[in-house]
Amino acid sequence: MTTNRGRKALMLALSVAAVAGVGIVGGGVAPAAAAGLQWHDCDPAVKPLPGQQCATLSVPLDYADPDGEQIGLAVARLPSARPEARRGTLMVIPGGPGSSGVQRLGQKGAALAKEMNGAYDLVAFDPRGVGGSAKARCGFDEDDRRLVTLRSWPAADGGIGENVARSRRMAEACARNGGAMLRGLTTANQVRDLDRLRQALGERKLSAWSVSYGTYVAAVYAQKFSEHTDRWVLDSSADPDPRRVARGWLASMARGAEDRFPDFAAWAAHPDRDRDGLRLAERPEDVRGLFLGLADRLDREPRASTTPGVPLTGNILRQALQQALYSDASFPAFARLLSQALDPAGVPVLPPELAGPMPDEAATVSVGVICNDVDWPRSVPAYERAVAADRVRHPLTAGMPANITPCAFWKGGAVEKPTRITDQGPSNVLMIQNLRDPSTPHSVGLKMREAFGDRARLVSVDKGGHAVYLGNGNACGDRAVTRFLTEGVRPETDVLCR
C-alpha cells in the first residue's frame, strides 16, 4: 500500500471514532450507524429491489494523499428483513473489470436474500469508473470501443498489424485524456475502497460473495485486510500470479473455450433441437467443424446483418461464441445466429452488445484496470509468435487470448506492485468453480486454490458456464455456499458436486 503503517492506523482510528458504533459479528446484532453514508431511496433508473437503499461513499482519489481530492462511489444495500437474525454485512463483489456492484445486487439480491434468510445486510458498490461512481474517460474512437475490437481478434490470416495500431492509438488516447482518475483505476484501490466502505458501515468484519474478476479483488482484500474478513466466498477464480494477473486471465480463455465447447455441441446436436429448428448437426462432433468452417467463410465474405453498417464477420461470430459459452441459457440465441448465417437467404441478427460501440467510460475502465495493475510485455514480435502458436492450439479463439492490447504501450506501466496471495491468514475462504468454465477454467482456478493453501476449501461443480452460485442450478454447489455463509460450515476437504 502507498500509506505507511502509522498512517493506516491513524485513518482507522479516525474512522472508528467517527462512527456511532462498531458492528460485531454474531447473532441478533443490529447494524451500526454508518459514518458518511446517507441512505435514501434509489433512483428508479437503478431498478432497485423493494427495500433497497442507495448512498454515496467518499474516498480519496489517491490514497497517497488521503486528505486530497475525494471522489464519490455509488453504494446500495438491501437490509436484513429479520434484524434479530442479522449477523453482519455480506458484500456482493462483481466481476469485470468494469461490472457494476449495484446492478449485480439488483440482479441477484432477491435470490440471495432468500438464501441468507435475514443473516446479513446485502451491500454492493460500483467500483471507480463504473455505473454511478466517478468516471474516467480516454476519449476512444467509436470503432475502438466495440467489443470485437477491444478483444484484439487477429486478422483472417493471423496478422496483428491492425491490433498493434489500435492498441498504440488507444494507449496514447488514455495518456492524453485519462489523467489521475484513469491512473486510480486499480484493483489495489478497489480493495482500499472496500475497506473504507467497511469502516463507513461500522463493521469490524465483512463477509463476501465475489464472482469472476471480483474473486481477485476478494483475494487481495483477504491478503491485505485478513483481520477484517469473516466468511469469504470466491466464485469462479482465475490464477492470481502477480507476474501476469489479467494477461494470464486473458490467455486462459483459449483453454476455457475448448473445455466448454463440447457442452454447446452436445446441445446443438440433440434431437430435441428439431422441435425449435435449432439442431445444427446429427452428431456433436460435427458442430465444431461447422462453426470453424463458417467463421472462416465469414472472414472472407462477411454477411450483411440487421444492423446497418455492421456485417457479421468471422471475428464477430467468434466473439458471439465466447459470450454464449458463459451460460446454457445463451445457447438458443447463438444457434439461431449460426442458422441465420448458414442460410443463404438468412439475415443474421447480431447480439445487441456486438451491434454497436460501448460507452467510452465503460471501455476506459475495462482497459485501465488491467493495464494499471501489472506491466505487460512490449515486444510486438513476441505477440506475433504467441498469436501464431495459439491459433494452432486453440482454433476456437483464433489467437485472440494471446494477442497484443493497449497495455503493451501503456504510459507509466503498472501503478504499483501486484499483491501475492499466500496461505498466511485465517482459514475462512470457500471457493466454488465449474469444471467447464469458458472464462476462468477449472485448471486455472486451481492456481488460486494452491495460493491460499489451507486457508481455503474448493467445491468443484460438474457443470459448464461462468459463475456458479445461484447461477447454474446445481443444488449441491448452492447448498455448500449457503451453508457456509449462514452456518459457517465448510467442507472438511475439497469436494466435487456432480
Side-chain angles (χ1 to χ4, degrees):
M1 293 181 63
T2 56
T3 54
N4 60 30
R5 185 178 298 273
R7 178 179 292 167
K8 178 181 173 184
L10 175 61
M11 289 167 58
L12 179 58
L14 289 173
S15 173
V16 171
V19 299
V22 178
I24 305 298
V25 175
V29 178
L37 291 178
Q38 302 298 319
W39 296 105
H40 54 78
D41 292 340
C42 299
D43 188 297
V46 174
K47 298 181 180 178
L49 296 168
Q52 182 174 320
Q53 301 169 316
C54 289
T56 300
L57 174 71
S58 182
V59 299
L61 173 61
D62 182 355
Y63 277 91
D65 183 16
D67 298 322
E69 182 179 351
Q70 306 291 300
I71 59 174
L73 305 181
V75 182
R77 75 172 176 182
L78 196 61
S80 165
R82 299 175 61 232
E84 72 281 2
R86 182 189 180 277
R87 67 177 310 275
T89 292
L90 176 65
M91 294 300 308
V92 177
I93 305 177
S99 294
S100 164
V102 174
Q103 285 187 2
R104 180 75 178 170
L105 183 62
Q107 295 162 353
K108 294 293 185 178
L112 185 58
K114 182 179 179 181
E115 291 292 311
M116 296 302 100
N117 194 26
Y120 299 96
D121 293 340
L122 308 180
V123 177
F125 72 100
D126 285 346
R128 298 170 182 231
V130 178
S133 295
K135 303 290 199 308
R137 297 174 179 83
C138 285
F140 292 136
D141 294 344
E142 182 174 299
D143 283 346
D144 295 341
R145 291 188 272 115
R146 298 181 184 275
L147 185 56
V148 75
T149 51
L150 278 172
R151 284 288 173 91
S152 259
W153 292 93
D157 62 358
I160 69 169
E162 186 176 341
N163 306 127
V164 172
R166 177 178 294 110
S167 293
R168 191 187 302 276
R169 180 170 64 244
M170 294 177 72
E172 290 172 350
C174 288
R176 187 169 57 248
N177 303 317
M181 186 63 209
L182 174 69
R183 291 294 278 171
L185 300 179
T186 67
T187 298
N189 275 341
Q190 186 172 340
V191 166
R192 295 178 181 113
D193 293 342
L194 175 56
D195 199 58
R196 274 296 184 97
L197 179 55
R198 175 194 63 78
Q199 296 172 44
L201 291 167
E203 296 285 9
R204 182 171 60 85
K205 291 187 176 185
L206 296 172
S207 292
W209 171 35
S210 59
V211 178
S212 193
Y213 161 71
T215 64
Y216 180 63
V217 175
V220 174
Y221 188 92
Q223 192 66 38
K224 288 185 170 292
F225 298 102
S226 61
E227 70 275 19
H228 296 305
T229 61
D230 183 21
R231 298 172 184 173
W232 221 241
V233 175
L234 275 61
D235 183 338
S236 305
S237 301
D239 185 352
D241 182 354
R243 297 166 300 176
R244 289 165 59 84
V245 192
R247 182 164 61 95
W249 309 339
L250 181 62
S252 69
M253 293 179 70
R255 175 72 264 163
E258 298 289 347
D259 290 346
R260 173 65 162 149
F261 189 83
D263 290 342
F264 172 72
W267 180 93
H270 198 280
D272 285 354
R273 303 288 82 76
D274 285 330
R275 292 199 298 264
D276 46 24
L278 295 180
R279 193 176 186 188
L280 299 176
E282 294 293 320
R283 304 179 305 165
E285 54 265 37
D286 295 331
V287 177
R288 182 185 179 92
L290 181 148
F291 168 78
L292 292 174
L294 177 59
D296 287 344
R297 290 198 297 277
L298 291 171
D299 281 337
R300 299 187 299 270
E301 300 177 7
R303 291 280 302 277
S305 75
T306 55
T307 303
V310 185
L312 176 62
T313 64
N315 282 340
I316 287 181
L317 186 73
R318 295 181 183 101
Q319 183 59 53
L321 170 66
Q322 285 291 297
Q323 294 163 235
L325 295 179
Y326 274 52
S327 170
D328 290 5
S330 299
F331 287 178
F334 183 66
R336 193 168 294 111
L337 176 64
L338 287 175
S339 297
Q340 292 164 349
L342 289 165
D343 181 357
V347 182
V349 180
L350 301 184
E353 59 273 20
L354 294 178
M358 67 175 63
D360 186 51
E361 297 91 336
T364 295
V365 70
S366 67
V367 170
V369 174
I370 66 172
C371 297
N372 284 333
D373 267 6
V374 69
D375 290 323
W376 290 56
R378 294 182 177 267
S379 167
V380 172
Y383 284 105
E384 290 174 334
R385 292 191 295 271
V387 166
D390 210 49
R391 286 170 66 84
V392 173
R393 286 194 298 263
H394 305 296
L396 291 174
T397 47
M400 178 275 291
N403 205 357
I404 198 165
T405 72
C407 305
F409 305 104
W410 202 247
K411 184 177 180 180
V415 173
E416 57 190 287
K417 187 176 180 179
T419 298
R420 180 175 295 279
I421 308 304
T422 75
D423 59 1
Q424 301 301 302
S427 183
N428 61 353
V429 177
L430 180 67
M431 296 176 56
I432 188 165
Q433 200 98 6
N434 282 326
L435 290 185
R436 299 178 301 284
D437 188 317
S439 181
T440 55
H442 188 268
S443 57
V444 174
L446 292 178
K447 299 292 187 180
M448 180 74 83
R449 174 69 183 87
E450 180 182 4
F452 271 122
D454 197 50
R455 297 178 66 186
R457 300 290 184 272
L458 172 63
V459 177
S460 300
V461 179
D462 189 6
K463 294 277 284 189
H466 186 55
V468 186
Y469 184 55
L470 304 181
N472 69 5
N474 184 271
C476 169
D478 286 353
R479 253 193 326 268
V481 175
T482 296
R483 191 178 185 203
F484 174 58
L485 289 174
T486 58
E487 303 175 32
V489 177
R490 223 176 32 164
E492 292 185 5
T493 61
D494 294 353
V495 297
L496 172 64
C497 288
R498 294 195 181 276

